Structure formats: structure tokens, C-alpha cells
Amino acid sequence: MVSVLDSESKLRNLSIVSREGTSSYRVRSYLSAQVSRGRTTIAWVWDVYDRDQQRALRLPARNRPARPDATPGAAADDLVCGKSPRPD
């Protein structure tokens, strides 16, 4: 996840700062994998907070992998988690 954020931020000219640094926005993300009736669902949320610690934006998503028999770890591939395939 960290390497994807790093490469995507460079493509978009976004500065990433440490927790101790000052920034305009902070992002917190949450990821879960749930299995119900043998089907895995991957859900994630990105919360974007402004300088005053107020949530400015919430980006939720949920996806089911194409393979219904996938384990939660195998189900969380790049396509399910929303990463666009890019040629190197």
C-alpha cells in the first residue's frame, strides 16, 4: 500500500509528509475482508481530514472478487482494491 501511494503521489505531484510534518490534509484508511456464505467481500474507506481535524471527504468502496472461492488474502488483488493496471 505504501509503495502504491508513493508512486501515485509522484505521478500527481502530491507531497507526502510524515505524521509530525504540517499538511493541508491527512488521510486515514481502513480495509476489511469479510467472508459470508463462502464469498469474500473486500471493503475499504479513505477519510480525508483538513488542518482542523474535520473530515472533509469520505471515499468508501466495496468489491467482490471474480473468483467466489478466493480466500480473503487472495481476493485482495490490485484489481479488486481499485488499483489501475499500468504498464511499466
Side-chain angles (χ1 to χ4, degrees), residues 22-86:
T22 58
S23 64
S24 299
Y25 295 96
R26 297 211 183 256
V27 177
R28 290 185 181 157
S29 62
Y30 310 91
L31 175 73
S32 71
Q34 298 173 331
V35 179
S36 177
R37 297 183 185 160
R39 295 227 29 174
T40 299
T41 300
I42 306 294
W44 63 98
V45 165
W46 289 53
D47 286 334
V48 180
Y49 294 89
D50 64 17
R51 281 190 180 151
D52 298 323
Q53 303 289 329
Q54 299 297 311
R55 188 169 67 198
L57 180 66
R58 173 168 266 204
L59 301 168
R62 184 172 26 180
N63 207 334
R64 282 199 170 163
R67 286 184 38 225
D69 62 336
T71 64
D77 62 13
D78 287 348
L79 185 60
V80 168
C81 290
K83 181 180 178 207
S84 304
R86 283 207 172 92

